[in-house]
Amino acid sequence: MALAARVIPCLDVDAGRVVKGVNFENLRDAGDPVELAAAYGAQGADELTFLDVTASSGGRETTYDIVRRTAEQVFIPLTVGGGVRSVDDVDKLLRAGADKVGINTAAIHRPEVISEIADRFGAQVLVLSADVRRRVGEDGAPVGGFEVTTHGGRQSAGLDAIEWCSRAAQLGAGEILLNSMDADGTTQGFDIELIEQVRREVSIPIIASGGAGIPEHFAQALDAGADAVLAASVFHFGTLTISQVKDAIAAHGHPVRQVQAG
């Protein structure tokens, strides 16, 4: 029997508040992370993802505190990412109540950290977060292919995105959070081609992120090979509910975990 498709609200946390923008710019306040997390848990979200978007060492204790308070309120898996650089960082987040930890920039700089974390805690704990955009030429026109980026999609990491996802899976990543920087916050739909290309190269679960606007978009991402779908704006600002998304997914023939009444 096929595994149920997962619907995952994403909470981008800055200085203790949830924020959301378009293409990682023009951020606006979306509420208290613990309150939102509890609401999503009650609505039937399958997991939650917290991304500490500033991730400065000074703000680290704020993140631990939010994770602790959320873990006390919510009884679904919680993934935390942002500023994770070492096995030590992962250990602290797990002790604070995270179930999984996302890693991005640190893995680009030192890929072996993926193996170190997977060897210590198990692959199921490690989510590789890949911020991906379509390659463009100097004139801004697409030239084909996808590249990995850092700094919210603004800087190229000099890596082919499909090859990087494949390598991360080989090194021990348990899942790939596949963020389309081009689609982020646009509500125009997930990057289907990107999902399909990564799916052909990896067997580990893919979480599609970036671009959701209507319930059907989530189903399309799953049709393309994603195992889970993640969104922020459409949930935070009340455009869509978890139930609406799950109904659309089920209508497309994908099994989902239905919300239990009461």
Side-chain angles (χ1 to χ4, degrees):
M1 183 177 171
L3 291 174
R6 290 169 287 146
V7 178
I8 308 174
C10 181
L11 308 176
D12 295 320
V13 180
D14 180 8
R17 299 290 293 178
V18 176
V19 296
K20 191 58 195 167
V22 177
N23 303 127
F24 280 63
E25 295 178 348
N26 302 316
L27 299 179
R28 56 177 171 152
D29 188 283
D32 175 77
V34 181
E35 289 177 8
L36 279 172
Y40 290 138
Q43 285 177 31
D46 298 295
E47 297 185 12
L48 289 168
T49 293
F50 274 13
L51 296 179
D52 179 355
V53 296
T54 43
S56 65
S57 55
R60 208 14 101 201
E61 196 48 53
T62 302
T63 302
Y64 295 141
D65 179 57
I66 292 168
V67 172
R68 287 186 200 102
R69 290 189 290 126
T70 302
E72 290 170 2
Q73 298 270 341
V74 178
F75 304 100
I76 54 177
L78 174 62
T79 300
V80 183
V84 176
R85 298 178 180 87
S86 66
V87 167
D88 247 14
D89 291 337
V90 174
D91 186 56
K92 288 174 184 171
L93 284 167
L94 294 176
R95 289 176 187 276
D99 299 284
K100 296 188 270 190
V101 175
I103 191 166
N104 186 339
T105 308
I108 292 169
H109 294 322
R110 202 172 70 85
E112 53 268 32
V113 74
I114 297 173
S115 298
E116 292 167 5
I117 294 168
D119 290 346
R120 170 84 178 271
F121 302 105
Q124 77 284 350
V125 159
L126 182 57
V127 180
L128 178 85
S129 183
D131 292 341
V132 176
R133 69 183 178 198
R134 289 173 179 266
R135 280 206 179 89
V136 295
E138 291 183 8
D139 59 355
V143 296
F146 297 91
E147 64 180 351
V148 179
T149 68
T150 59
H151 299 81
R154 291 185 292 277
Q155 292 186 22
S156 172
L159 294 170
D160 177 85
I162 314 305
E163 291 175 3
W164 172 234
C165 289
S166 177
R167 185 179 179 200
Q170 292 166 2
L171 286 168
E175 291 185 284
I176 292 170
L177 174 52
L178 192 59
N179 307 307
S180 169
M181 296 291 96
D182 301 309
D184 175 72
T186 64
T187 70
Q188 297 302 300
F190 294 94
D191 192 322
I192 299 302
E193 184 185 356
L194 172 61
I195 297 166
E196 289 174 341
Q197 288 196 23
V198 175
R199 177 79 289 161
R200 282 196 288 269
E201 297 300 323
V202 306
S203 58
I204 62 175
I206 296 170
I207 304 164
S209 169
I214 58 174
E216 288 70 27
H217 286 158
F218 295 87
Q220 290 163 4
L222 295 166
D223 291 343
D227 302 271
V229 282
L230 177 147
S233 304
V234 290
F235 294 139
H236 300 340
F237 301 119
T239 309
L240 298 176
T241 65
I242 304 290
S243 293
Q244 285 174 314
V245 170
K246 287 195 169 186
D247 288 346
I249 289 171
H252 272 245
H254 297 282
V256 293
R257 181 182 69 90
Q258 292 295 350
V259 185
Q260 298 299 313

